[in-house]
Amino acid sequence: MPEQIPYKYLQRGEITEDKVWLSSNFRVRLIQQGIEKAGSINQLGRVLGYRSRVHPGWSVRQILVGKQPFPFDRLKVMADYLGCSIEEILKHRIRPDRVTVDGTRKALETLGMHYYVDR
């Protein structure tokens, strides 16, 4: 666990070892690479282990738009799938209150994924 995260977040249960919030730019770029490799957000959801019949990519979308954190075990699968080290990804870990709608919208628009922006 990075030392820069205040204890109060751990105490309230907002941050645990199994919940990983990533900076907006990095999170969007990481998921975009996963979608490109998998072919679709639903297929990426399947790769990460989500098993919904209707929309396995729903949790991936929620992570993409900053509404939920990456589960650590699925982030490890993503790292392996993309050929990245988990240590490199964890350098972009942030506190949950640093994830903002504006930051996520800018990151999505910058990377051409404006169709995921909530209206």
Side-chain angles (χ1 to χ4, degrees), residues 30-31 33-52 55-58 60 70 73-83:
L30 186 72
I31 292 176
Q33 290 172 356
I35 291 170
E36 288 173 359
K37 184 170 182 180
S40 72
I41 196 166
N42 282 338
Q43 188 58 37
L44 179 60
R46 289 183 189 100
V47 167
L48 296 179
Y50 293 105
R51 298 291 175 222
S52 169
H55 192 16
W58 180 251
V60 177
F70 248 112
D73 58 337
R74 304 213 180 190
L75 186 59
K76 286 194 314 190
V77 172
M78 178 73 119
D80 290 341
Y81 185 65
L82 295 176

Side-chain angles (χ1 to χ4, degrees), residues 37-102:
K37 184 170 182 180
S40 72
I41 196 166
N42 282 338
Q43 188 58 37
L44 179 60
R46 289 183 189 100
V47 167
L48 296 179
Y50 293 105
R51 298 291 175 222
S52 169
R53 285 186 220 176
V54 177
H55 192 16
W58 180 251
S59 293
V60 177
R61 185 189 185 288
Q62 295 298 95
I63 295 167
L64 176 66
V65 299
K67 292 189 177 180
Q68 71 184 44
F70 248 112
F72 185 75
D73 58 337
R74 304 213 180 190
L75 186 59
K76 286 194 314 190
V77 172
M78 178 73 119
D80 290 341
Y81 185 65
L82 295 176
C84 304
S85 72
I86 191 69
E87 292 81 18
E88 186 63 35
I89 292 173
L90 290 177
K91 289 179 183 177
H92 298 276
R93 188 176 197 167
I94 60 171
R95 297 187 322 252
D97 64 337
R98 305 275 299 171
V99 176
T100 64
V101 174
D102 287 337

